[in-house]
């Protein structure tokens, strides 16, 4: 079967019209089970985001946009002021699901603006407009992934092996991913690319999701423990690192899955280019640097009782930040849907984000 004919994994899809539901592939069950769940309330969407059934910055944003629709439609028969109160509560609930990925707040802000732009409209019409906006956010995300892939593929040469961390693929977006979109686009161009996937402790997004997704698409992938990345680089087994991002500050400092910063340090030591691939919805220009990015801390049980088995002494003290920040100076380039930012600086970021995207904003 040709690479183009292999069906990509789909993290989420909207079924029906305003009274429809958000279907999510339950990523906590991968790679052993491909089971989906249908969310019909904002509470279900919040739970799915919090427990990583849907995860990855762009996918969280798209899910939250649909979460607003399922959260407010029951209030469509109320008078407009009561409907607006419900909308406010739902947006607050969704915003409290996870703190680091800015795409969540970006998508919720777009939904808030939809309602604000039609202050005298009937609630039913606002619900329809919120669904239209959620669909637009999803479609734009798919286009952004494709454009990131096109720009990034030019950085890879046939025969290259690429190391990636966590999952920044189709499972993390509405399209082909960000970091993995670059791989898919290069392979579609006829280049021979192989991937080394860090397993990504503690929740194993690399092992469970990236290795699964790449195998499904027929891309050669080798799974390694996070602690093996230094050796793989020293042995010159990889020619580039490409990762995704959860939030990029105005100066280019980038928050991504815990362990990304270690990979960036290793890449610098070994003279290997370290690329971040992210859509413009992942930039937060209100933050001057990465110290201001809120970092989610998750439960101790993810480390002491990973996947149901106790692997540490009862009651041991645990620190479990889910993300870290890679300083801009350790990033060779940022691949966006508008082009490649290189070298990474605040001026270059602002100039790139001011460019037209080439598809409706
Ligand atoms: O905790 P997760 O699985 O949501 O973390 C995901 C990542 O860190 C991804 O690399 C990032 O969101 C980019 S996804 C295109």
């Amino acid at each position: 079967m040709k690479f183009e004919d292999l069906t990509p994994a789909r993290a989420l899809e909207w079924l029906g019209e305003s009274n429809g539901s958000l279907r999510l592939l339950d990523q906590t069950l991968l790679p052993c089970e491909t089971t989906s769940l249908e969310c019909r309330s904002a509470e279900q969407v919040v739970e799915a985001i919090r427990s990583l059934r849907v995860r990855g910055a762009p996918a969280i944003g798209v899910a939250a946009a649909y979460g607003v629709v399922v959260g407010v439609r029951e209030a469509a028969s109320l008078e407009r002021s009561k409907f607006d109160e419900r909308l406010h509560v739902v947006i607050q609930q969704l915003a409290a699901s996870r703190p680091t990925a800015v795409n969540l707040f970006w998508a919720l802000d777009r939904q808030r603006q939809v309602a604000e732009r039609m202050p005298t409209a009937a609630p039913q019409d606002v619900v329809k407009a919120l669904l239209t906006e959620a669909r637009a956010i999803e479609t734009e995300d798919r286009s952004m992934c494709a454009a990131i892939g096109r720009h990034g593929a030019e950085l890879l040469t046939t025969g290259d092996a690429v190391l990636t961390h966590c999952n920044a693929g189709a499972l993390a977006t509405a399209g082909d991913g960000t970091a993995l979109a670059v791989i898919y686009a290069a392979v579609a161009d006829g280049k021979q690319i192989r991937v080394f996937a860090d397993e990504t402790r503690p929740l194993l997004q690399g092992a469970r999701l990236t290795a699964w997704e790449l195998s499904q698409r027929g891309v050669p992938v080798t799974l390694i423990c996070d602690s093996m990345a230094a050796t793989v680089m020293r042995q010159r087994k990889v020619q580039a690192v490409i990762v995704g991002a959860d939030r990029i500050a105005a100066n280019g400092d980038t928050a991504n899955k815990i362990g990304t910063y270690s990979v960036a340090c290793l890449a610098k030591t070994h003279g290997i280019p370290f690329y971040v691939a992210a859509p413009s919805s992942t930039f937060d220009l209100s933050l001057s640097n990465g110290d201001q990015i809120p970092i989610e801390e998750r439960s101790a049980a993810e480390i002491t009782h990973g996947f149901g088995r106790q692997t540490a002494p009862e009651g041991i003290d645990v620190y479990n930040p889910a993300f870290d920040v890679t300083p801009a100076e350790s990033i060779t380039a940022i691949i966006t849907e508008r082009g490649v930012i290189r070298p990474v600086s605040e001026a270059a970021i602002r100039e790139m984000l001011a460019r037209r995207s080439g598809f409706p904003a």
Side-chain angles (χ1 to χ4, degrees), residues 63-261:
Y66 284 119
V68 172
V69 178
V70 295
V72 299
R73 63 183 171 195
E74 300 289 303
S77 56
L78 303 177
E79 64 185 63
R80 181 64 199 260
S81 62
K82 296 275 178 237
F83 175 84
D84 285 345
E85 277 171 30
R86 173 69 190 156
L87 177 65
H88 179 73
V89 169
V90 166
I91 288 178
Q92 299 283 103
Q93 282 175 340
L94 287 159
S97 58
R98 292 190 79 187
T100 303
V102 76
N103 310 59
L104 170 71
F105 307 98
W106 168 87
L108 292 174
D109 205 46
R110 278 182 61 163
Q111 292 294 51
R112 189 181 47 72
Q113 286 178 32
V114 165
E116 281 175 5
R117 278 199 301 270
M118 41 198 306
T120 56
Q124 290 91 331
D125 293 333
V126 181
V127 173
K128 281 189 198 142
L130 291 168
L131 178 59
T132 303
E133 187 73 358
R135 285 184 162 138
I137 290 171
E138 179 184 349
T139 309
E140 285 166 31
D141 187 57
R142 201 165 292 132
S143 308
M144 289 196 272
C145 292
I148 287 171
R150 282 196 298 277
H151 292 300
E154 290 173 19
L155 302 170
L156 299 181
T157 308
T158 194
D160 279 354
V162 176
L163 187 137
T164 191
H165 191 76
C166 195
N167 173 267
L171 290 168
T173 63
D176 254 359
T178 57
L180 296 195
V182 174
I183 310 280
Y184 295 136
V187 171
D189 284 349
K191 293 179 187 166
Q192 306 240 322
I193 306 290
R194 59 178 303 114
V195 177
F196 279 81
D198 276 354
E199 68 174 352
T200 316
R201 283 274 293 154
L203 296 181
L204 306 185
Q205 286 92 334
R208 295 187 304 103
L209 309 178
T210 298
W212 180 81
E213 178 182 329
L214 288 167
S215 308
Q216 294 280 311
R217 297 280 291 269
V219 177
V221 52
T222 302
L223 178 63
I224 56 170
C225 299
D226 302 343
S227 51
M228 296 167 190
T231 293
V232 164
M233 289 188 196
R234 183 138 193 234
Q235 294 173 339
R236 313 310 299 178
K237 286 189 193 298
V238 292
Q239 286 66 48
V241 175
I242 312 180
V243 297
D246 284 84
R247 197 185 291 226
I248 304 175
N251 71 342
D253 290 354
T254 295
N256 190 49
K257 177 55 53 194
I258 191 75
T260 301
Y261 176 39

Side-chain angles (χ1 to χ4, degrees), residues 305-325:
H305 294 70
F307 305 97
R309 185 177 189 278
Q310 183 170 347
T311 54
E314 200 65 47
I316 196 79
D317 186 38
V318 167
Y319 176 47
N320 184 16
F323 299 95
D324 59 25
V325 175

